[in-house]
Amino acid sequence: MSILILREGQIQSDKIVDMKSYLTQIVPGTRNYDGCQEINVYFNRDNPWNMVVLQQWKSRDHFNKYVQWSEEAGAFARSVSMLTSPLSTRYFERADI
């Protein structure tokens, strides 16, 4: 069963342009990673430093493999360095309602 992952973070006020530029570089590669079904980035209209990344993965294992690769490649550390605090990560399964 696929899983929806919601990641949320606060960007340092002087890093918004850098974060958008970096995400423009790495998100297309994430979309092509094995198991990624969808990824979209959203910025809060009322608080431009607040960012949400919604990701749909084939499974949590697929997502975990991507996270491991991202950490080993240094991509995760680079994006986290532009945040004011660690990312909040939550996992959701679709309800059959």
Side-chain angles (χ1 to χ4, degrees):
M1 173 178 275
S2 68
I3 188 164
L4 177 74
I5 295 130
L6 187 150
R7 300 186 106 178
E8 184 173 12
Q10 286 290 117
I11 304 166
Q12 297 172 29
S13 60
D14 62 336
K15 298 291 184 184
I16 292 175
V17 172
D18 294 338
M19 179 66 86
K20 287 182 178 181
S21 175
Y22 186 59
L23 291 171
T24 299
Q25 294 172 29
I26 66 167
V27 167
T30 302
R31 286 188 178 115
N32 292 323
Y33 200 89
D34 182 43
C36 181
Q37 297 174 325
E38 186 173 4
I39 180 171
N40 292 294
V41 180
Y42 299 89
F43 290 88
N44 186 331
R45 286 185 172 204
D46 298 323
N47 174 359
W49 302 280
N50 179 235
M51 171 186 73
V52 171
V53 181
L54 289 177
Q55 303 177 45
Q56 185 85 28
W57 287 83
K58 191 181 248 184
S59 70
R60 192 161 179 170
D61 285 341
H62 283 90
F63 174 71
N64 288 338
K65 287 177 187 173
Y66 166 75
V67 169
Q68 181 179 356
W69 170 85
S70 178
E71 289 173 349
E72 290 171 359
F76 185 73
R78 183 169 173 197
S79 61
V80 168
S81 73
M82 293 184 251
L83 300 175
T84 61
S85 59
L87 277 174
S88 164
T89 303
R90 292 174 277 172
Y91 305 90
F92 299 87
E93 290 183 357
R94 185 178 194 163
D96 292 328
I97 298 173

